[in-house]
Each structure stands twice: as C-alpha cells, then as structure tokens.
Amino acid sequence: MKRVTIKDIAKVANVSYTTVSRALSGSSEIGEGTRQRILQIGKDMGYTANAVARSLVAKETKLIGLLVSSINNPFMSEIAYHVEESARKKGYNLMLCNSSGNIEQEEEAYKLLVGRQVDGIILVPCGAHSYERLHPYLDTVPTVFVSENLRDIQESYVTVDNHRGTYIGVEYLYSLGHRSIVYFARRLASTTHQLRAQGYGDACKALHLKPQYVDSHFASSSIQHGYTLALEWFRGKHNYSAIFAAADTIALGILQAAEECGVRIPEDVSLLGFDNISFSALPKINLSTIEQPKHMMASVAVEMLIEKMKTPAMRYSHKIMNPELVIRGSCKAVPQI
Amino acid sequence: MKRVTIKDIAKVANVSYTTVSRALSGSSEIGEGTRQRILQIGKDMGYTANAVARSLVAKETKLIGLLVSSINNPFMSEIAYHVEESARKKGYNLMLCNSSGNIEQEEEAYKLLVGRQVDGIILVPCGAHSYERLHPYLDTVPTVFVSENLRDIQESYVTVDNHRGTYIGVEYLYSLGHRSIVYFARRLASTTHQLRAQGYGDACKALHLKPQYVDSHFASSSIQHGYTLALEWFRGKHNYSAIFAAADTIALGILQAAEECGVRIPEDVSLLGFDNISFSALPKINLSTIEQPKHMMASVAVEMLIEKMKTPAMRYSHKIMNPELVIRGSCKAVPQI
DNA sequence: GTTTTATCTGAAAACGTTTACGACAATCTT
DNA sequence: AAGATTGTCGTAAACGTTTTCAGATAAAAC
C-alpha cells in the first residue's frame, strides 16, 4: 500500500530527488545517461507520480468540474460523455457532481468544487436562478454554462438557439399543412423554456396561426407532466392537428397518453419534440424532433473553458448553436380535403 | 483570483496559522472566543479550505474513482447516479472516467486514477479480461467491480445473480405456456453473458425444453446486434413462441425488426429482456424484463469500497444481488388449443 | 595555463494544510 | 503553598512535488 515516491527512487539511484524530478518531468537540464537510468529504476519500482503534490505546487489540478442536475438523464449523460472525451484529449480529468435539480445542492456542489481546486467548471444549471445564486463564487473559478440561455448575462455559456428551434419546428409543421398547432409547454424557471415558448409564439404570429399553450403549474418529472397534460387534453374536444412538445420527455408522456386514449400518432395527430434524446430514435418511438447538437456543445464548452482558464483577462463569451430538424415518423402531412 | 489561505486569516486575526487551522477543523484545543473570532474572519474573507493541500498531508483525498465503459448508456448512467449519491452522503466525491469499452483505455484511466490518489475505485469493467489486465495495479487502490461476475476471483465485486436471472425468466415464460423459447445471446467476452446463457440452458434442461441459441460473432452496438439477428430470424421458418433477449438493448433491436417484419409482440411472439433499463418502462416499449437492482448495487458497491478502504487487511468480498422479474406487456400466455 | 562557457547536479524554498511537541499561564489538588 | 493538571497557543516538521539559485565539473576558448 505504501506508494513509492521520488525520494525512494533517489535513494536507489544515488542522486538527489531533484534530479529524479527532472528525469521524470522531461526537463532538459539533465544528462541523458542519468535520465535513462532513473527512468528505468522508476519503472522497476512501479512509480506513479503523485498528482496531488504536483497540483499543490503547480497551482493547477488539471481537473474540470462537471456539475449537472442529473447524470441519470439522457440529455445530460450524453453531454457528460462528450465532455469527458474532449477534456481527456486535452489532458483534463473530470470531477462529477449531481445537483439533483436542487438549487441548494447545486450551490453546495459548486463550493465543493472550488475547494477541490478544479481549474474550471462546466455547469448544466438546474434553472434560471442558478446564475444569481452562484454569482458570488463565479469569479473564483472559470465557469461555462451549458444549455441554459442566460441571454445578456455576463457569463460564458454555450447553448442552442432555442427560439429558432421552435420557430423552425412550427414552420415544418406548417409546411405539412398544419394550421392549428398546440404547444405543450413546461413552465419552468428556465430561460430555455421561455425562449422555446416565445419562438413558438413568434412563428405562429408570422404564419398567422393562433398560438395555443397547454401547461400546468404542477411540477413533477417531465414525462409525467406530459402524460397528465395530454390525458386531459385528449378527453376534451379541441380543434387541432399537431402537438409541439417543449421537450422530448414531454412528448414521451404524450405518447403514452395517446396510446391509452386511442389517439394514433401520426395518423390522427402529428407530434414534434425538442432535444433529440437517444430514446427518441428508438423505432417504436420514432419521434420527429429538434436536435440540440450535444456533441458539439460539449466540445465547444470544453474549449471555451480552457480558453477562459488560459486568459484570465477574458470576461465571458457566448456561443449559440444551430438547432436542426430531425424528421422521423411522428409527423404527417394533413390530407387535402 | 488569488485565493485566501489560512495564513491570510492568521495575519488579520493576529494569531499563528496553526490556531486558524484548529479553529476551522473543529479541534478542541482552542479557546471558544478565538474560535468564533477566527471563524467570523474566515467567513468575511471568503475562505474555502484547499482540499489539495489537505489531501497531501492527510494521505487521503476523499475521492472515489468511477470508471465505466460508457457513461452514455442507460445502465451505467443509472449506476453513476446512485454511486454519486451514496458517495456524497458518505463524504466522498467522484472522479469520472470513461473507458469506451476499450481495454487499453481502461488501463490508462485506472493508472490515472491511481496517480490522482483516489481512495478507492468503482469499476464497471468492459469485459472479462479487465481483471487480468488490471491485476498488477489492483492492490495499489481498493477496488470494487460492479456488474461483472468474476466468479471465484479474489477481488471484491457486487453483481446480480445472472444465472438465476435467466433461470427465473425461463420459468416465467414456461408458466405462460411457452414450450419453445429462443435465446438471443451476445457472445461477448463477459462472464455476465456466459452466466446468463448458462442459466437459460440449465432452466431449459430442468423443464425438459430444447434450448436454442441465436447469436453471431459480428459485434456492434447491442441494439444493432439484436436488430440484425432478429431480421434474419423472422425471415426464416421456426417453431417457437417466445424470445428471451440477453439484454434489454438486444430486445430493443428485436422490437424494431419485429415491427418491420410485421411480427406482433406479444400477440405473435412473447419477448423478455434483461436489465430493466429505463427505456424499457416507456409505454410504447413496455418490455417485460429481469431487473438488476441498480440502486442497491451502487450503494452496496460504495459501502463495500469504504469498508475495504478502512480495513486494509481485508482481501475481498463478494455480493450477489437477487434479480427480479418485472412483468410488463411484452409477454403473453400461449392460447390453449 | 588560466579563464570562459556549457553541462550537469544538489540544496533549499515553496505550495497550503495538519499535527506532534513544547511553552506558558491558570486552575486544581492535597 | 508547592506540585500536578488542564487549557490555550505557537514552533516546526511533514506530506510529495516543482523550481530557483548556486555550485561543481569538464570541455572549450584565449
């Protein structure tokens, strides 16, 4: 269990531990002979450098904190996957924290990461209030927000153009002949959802459609939310031909309700989602949706963060990605009468 | 950006930094008056303890390394979620590494975690060969394997009783009247899958059924694997009434193929999966399956690991969880003729 | 043959903590 | 009242590295 240190090697090699350090760190001011000899001894003794000690003197840990609201969520885990990959390729490792969508816990975790001396933090915040809450700590560690539009706020973030996402979604449904599109929203304290709702509204306006929002204040899981909302909706008499769900998870709930109510999708009503989580591609689900380029977002977030770490002078930068329409089988053209 | 240290506080409070350390660490050998005064100053100055420095002297980091083959996988991300939670509750944080199912990368990541001085490692290995490969390092850091049966191997692990899982699955299908059950396997270098196949075989033997394995050596994603296998299978003429998929992902692929081939599930053929990933609960999927108690497995793994960290004398321990049958809508009784 | 230069090595400080040890005063014994 | 005990605080060493500075040796230049 006792780990071998630089000093142990020094004793065996009969040199000072400074020399050993130089041999291992690839410094130039050391004889090639001694270097090889020391390297060999190090290998023989099974030496691995102590990153903790190294971090202490270097004043950098080569660690990135990844703080998400729930890793057990297809969207976040996909982000996490790509963040890990990008970070690793750049020589950084990940410290993972869950906030469970709880803002107190998010603050707690953030402080913890600061204490752990991470070089930077990538944050998928649990809501729009995260910014205010975390504001006091924000200039302790370079931070990049992901997926949450902070609009004109003075902090780095990368996100998708949510407004445009719903906008092109409505346009697509319109092009299929739909003239009455209901929006199943999620009234969360999140600018993301505010912008999506707004994009929907603006598109309707531009196309001379009457916007119709369905929502409730009752909050639970998104999928449950979509389910209960849709159940009630299908029971009533409404004039509409398509549903735009503010998130794929909501669409999943709607799908369930539709099945129970005998509503066929897409034969009776078209359904469009947002996010393109991996679930949606399943053949049995086969949901048309608006894609968030998660891979891109993750790698851009990492690059942006590293950039920010290197140039402390930089205040912030924003990057807004393009959403893309993914056509699968849940939307159908309205039959011409 | 300059972080405030214990010495900065000491200067302001006009005491030695030792005293500050004592005040913050809740040591008893300090006056209550000075403690309060120092605590207040610390708060005012925005002090957060440097965990790196602390780790160096304490010779423990309070970090657990979580090494999975892919965090972007419903099973793993669920494990990760619960591991994070359990660990946090016990005062540990997580370092996350992905091996991408690649054994070289797994070794790389493991060594990296060792260098980072994590107190322990929870490993969801990419295959049966992981053990041999990692063996040289295994007594550097307490390690617990998750989800991979290592059988009589001398290393700690927690897993589900895979043999029993398929066994009770066959029994269930038998009880529904099925007498001809095909097993869609995954010939991976994993004891997990070996045991599942064996459990299926043994159950068939016990019930006087003829086991029938479908598999191919062609490896790709499990879902793709299930799809191609099923496509071919459905095209042929076979005498069977139920399919047992070695994993839910395989079942997902089968579902897709069934849809394309006009095979109705469960009307024409019953389908049973294994793992109970969150996908499977979706109403449109609604897959009956064998559940791995992931929450339990994760928290047990953490407890087991902490136990192992505390008592270096302990060599290893094994924990095998009970699989449970989850009945949904993909299996149907065979009509009595 | 002496000085300069280049090359290699070591001593020591630093990073921010914790902790063993000792010093000193105040309080408690008998 | 003298010694023993207790409570509070400071000094210094330690954790395992990197890095600065200076020293030593050998080769090159004059």
Side-chain angles (χ1 to χ4, degrees):
Chain A
M1 276 302 198
K2 171 87 174 69
R3 303 254 173 92
V4 28
T5 76
I6 217 175
K7 296 188 181 180
D8 299 327
I9 301 184
K11 261 179 207 152
V12 177
N14 218 33
V15 291
S16 80
Y17 62 86
T18 310
T19 308
V20 178
S21 168
R22 276 195 271 256
L24 294 164
S25 62
S27 159
S28 60
E29 29 183 68
I30 189 178
E32 194 51 33
T34 23
R35 144 159 307 143
Q36 293 303 337
R37 194 167 58 90
I38 291 175
L39 250 40
Q40 188 54 51
I41 295 178
K43 201 172 267 180
D44 292 347
M45 296 178 73
Y47 172 80
T48 19
N50 184 326
V52 173
R54 182 173 291 179
S55 297
L56 185 60
V57 37
K59 285 168 170 294
E60 63 167 3
T61 52
K62 287 284 176 185
L63 278 174
I64 290 178
L66 177 63
L67 177 46
V68 300
S69 46
S70 167
I71 188 71
N72 181 23
N73 163 308
F75 175 73
M76 311 265 180
S77 73
E78 215 166 318
I79 291 281
Y81 179 83
H82 292 120
V83 164
E84 197 273 346
E85 190 179 24
S86 304
R88 181 161 32 79
K89 282 184 180 160
K90 304 212 174 244
Y92 287 85
N93 288 112
L94 242 51
M95 278 207 46
L96 177 69
C97 289
N98 253 331
S99 67
S100 309
N102 178 326
I103 198 161
E104 284 89 14
Q105 204 172 312
E106 187 176 60
E107 184 182 353
E108 211 52 47
Y110 194 96
K111 284 199 280 190
L112 201 139
L113 289 171
V114 172
R116 292 271 188 195
Q117 312 297 113
V118 295
D119 294 342
I121 294 179
I122 288 180
L123 175 63
V124 186
C126 43
H129 295 121
S130 295
Y131 175 74
E132 319 157 20
R133 183 91 181 215
L134 261 28
H135 189 257
Y137 319 107
L138 246 35
D139 43 68
T140 340
V141 182
T143 302
V144 170
F145 287 71
V146 170
S147 110
E148 181 76 359
N149 284 62
L150 268 7
R151 291 198 250 204
D152 33 38
I153 254 162
Q154 309 205 344
E155 195 55 57
S156 296
Y157 65 77
V158 36
T159 179
V160 77
D161 188 340
N162 285 293
H163 184 278
R164 185 174 150 74
T166 42
Y167 200 102
I168 63 173
V170 171
E171 284 183 332
Y172 169 62
L173 290 170
Y174 186 90
S175 77
L176 289 178
H178 295 281
R179 294 295 176 268
S180 184
I181 304 163
V182 202
Y183 187 73
F184 274 55
R186 190 89 167 95
R187 197 170 303 153
L188 283 174
S190 108
T191 43
T192 298
H193 279 281
Q194 285 165 26
L195 285 169
R196 288 183 188 179
Q198 203 174 313
Y200 162 78
D202 289 349
C204 285
K205 202 170 186 180
L207 297 169
H208 306 291
L209 306 181
K210 206 178 109 228
Q212 189 165 7
Y213 298 88
V214 175
D215 198 357
S216 97
H217 281 285
F218 180 71
S220 66
S221 96
S222 281
I223 178 159
Q224 190 63 35
H225 175 80
Y227 174 72
T228 47
L229 241 49
L231 223 53
E232 196 175 345
W233 176 261
F234 289 144
R235 284 211 192 94
K237 265 264 173 282
H238 301 282
N239 182 28
Y240 73 106
S241 63
I243 297 177
F244 198 157
D248 279 7
T249 42
I250 297 176
L252 255 30
I254 296 173
L255 238 33
Q256 171 167 17
E259 188 135 297
E260 290 181 16
C261 297
V263 176
R264 293 170 308 159
I265 290 174
E267 290 79 4
D268 300 336
V269 16
S270 287
L271 177 63
L272 184 60
F274 201 123
D275 281 345
N276 193 24
I277 60 177
S278 43
F279 289 82
S280 307
L282 292 178
K284 288 278 241 175
I285 304 288
N286 205 26
L287 180 72
S288 293
T289 188
I290 310 292
E291 144 107 334
Q292 292 205 56
K294 295 167 277 294
H295 187 144
M296 202 62 136
M297 283 166 70
S299 56
V300 167
V302 171
E303 279 165 24
M304 192 184 276
L305 183 61
I306 292 180
E307 188 74 18
K308 206 178 170 189
M309 289 171 352
K310 280 182 182 155
T311 49
M314 191 202 308
R315 286 292 295 133
Y316 58 91
S317 61
H318 298 166
K319 192 120 187 180
I320 292 146
M321 315 296 264
N322 235 342
E324 242 170 279
L325 177 65
V326 177
I327 298 178
R328 295 203 184 90
S330 65
C331 296
K332 207 183 152 190
V334 172
Q336 306 297 335
I337 311 171
Chain B
M1 277 307 199
K2 173 83 174 74
R3 304 255 172 90
V4 29
T5 77
I6 219 176
K7 296 189 181 181
D8 299 326
I9 300 184
K11 264 180 204 151
V12 177
N14 219 32
V15 291
S16 80
Y17 62 85
T18 310
T19 309
V20 178
S21 169
R22 278 196 270 254
L24 293 164
S25 63
S27 158
S28 59
E29 28 182 72
I30 188 177
E32 193 52 32
T34 25
R35 145 163 303 145
Q36 292 304 336
R37 196 166 58 90
I38 291 174
L39 251 41
Q40 187 56 48
I41 295 178
K43 201 173 264 179
D44 293 345
M45 296 178 72
Y47 172 80
T48 19
N50 185 326
V52 173
R54 183 173 291 177
S55 296
L56 185 58
V57 37
K59 284 169 171 296
E60 64 168 1
T61 53
K62 288 284 178 184
L63 278 174
I64 290 178
L66 177 63
L67 178 45
V68 301
S69 47
S70 167
I71 187 70
N72 181 23
N73 163 308
F75 175 74
M76 311 263 180
S77 73
E78 214 165 318
I79 291 279
Y81 179 84
H82 292 120
V83 164
E84 197 274 344
E85 189 179 25
S86 304
R88 182 160 32 80
K89 281 184 179 158
K90 305 213 174 240
Y92 287 85
N93 287 112
L94 241 52
M95 278 207 46
L96 177 68
C97 288
N98 253 332
S99 68
S100 308
N102 179 326
I103 199 161
E104 284 89 14
Q105 205 171 311
E106 186 175 60
E107 182 181 354
E108 211 51 48
Y110 195 96
K111 284 198 279 189
L112 202 140
L113 289 171
V114 172
R116 292 268 186 198
Q117 313 296 117
V118 296
D119 294 342
I121 293 180
I122 289 180
L123 176 63
V124 186
C126 43
H129 296 120
S130 295
Y131 175 75
E132 318 157 21
R133 183 88 182 217
L134 261 26
H135 189 257
Y137 318 108
L138 246 35
D139 45 67
T140 340
V141 182
T143 301
V144 170
F145 286 71
V146 170
S147 109
E148 181 76 359
N149 285 61
L150 268 8
R151 292 196 248 205
D152 33 35
I153 253 162
Q154 308 203 347
E155 195 54 57
S156 296
Y157 64 77
V158 34
T159 181
V160 77
D161 188 339
N162 285 293
H163 184 278
R164 184 173 151 74
T166 41
Y167 200 103
I168 62 174
V170 171
E171 285 183 332
Y172 168 62
L173 289 170
Y174 187 90
S175 78
L176 288 179
H178 295 281
R179 293 296 175 267
S180 182
I181 303 164
V182 200
Y183 186 75
F184 274 55
R186 189 91 168 94
R187 197 170 303 151
L188 283 174
S190 108
T191 42
T192 297
H193 279 281
Q194 286 166 26
L195 285 169
R196 288 184 187 178
Q198 203 174 313
Y200 161 78
D202 289 350
C204 284
K205 201 170 189 179
L207 297 168
H208 305 292
L209 306 182
K210 203 176 115 235
Q212 188 165 8
Y213 297 88
V214 175
D215 197 358
S216 97
H217 281 287
F218 181 72
S220 65
S221 95
S222 281
I223 178 162
Q224 189 64 35
H225 175 80
Y227 173 72
T228 47
L229 241 49
L231 222 54
E232 195 175 347
W233 176 261
F234 288 144
R235 283 212 193 94
K237 267 263 173 286
H238 301 283
N239 181 29
Y240 73 105
S241 64
I243 297 177
F244 198 158
D248 279 7
T249 42
I250 296 176
L252 254 30
I254 297 174
L255 237 33
Q256 171 168 18
E259 188 135 296
E260 290 181 18
C261 297
V263 175
R264 293 170 308 160
I265 290 174
E267 289 79 7
D268 299 336
V269 16
S270 286
L271 178 62
L272 185 60
F274 202 123
D275 281 345
N276 193 23
I277 61 176
S278 43
F279 289 81
S280 307
L282 291 178
K284 289 276 242 175
I285 305 289
N286 205 24
L287 181 72
S288 292
T289 188
I290 309 293
E291 145 107 334
Q292 291 205 56
K294 293 168 278 293
H295 186 144
M296 202 66 135
M297 282 166 70
S299 55
V300 166
V302 171
E303 278 165 26
M304 194 184 274
L305 183 62
I306 292 179
E307 188 74 19
K308 206 177 171 192
M309 289 170 353
K310 280 183 181 154
T311 49
M314 191 201 311
R315 285 290 297 130
Y316 59 89
S317 61
H318 300 166
K319 192 121 188 178
I320 291 146
M321 314 297 265
N322 234 342
E324 242 170 277
L325 178 66
V326 176
I327 298 179
R328 295 206 183 90
S330 64
C331 297
K332 209 182 150 188
V334 172
Q336 307 295 336
I337 310 172

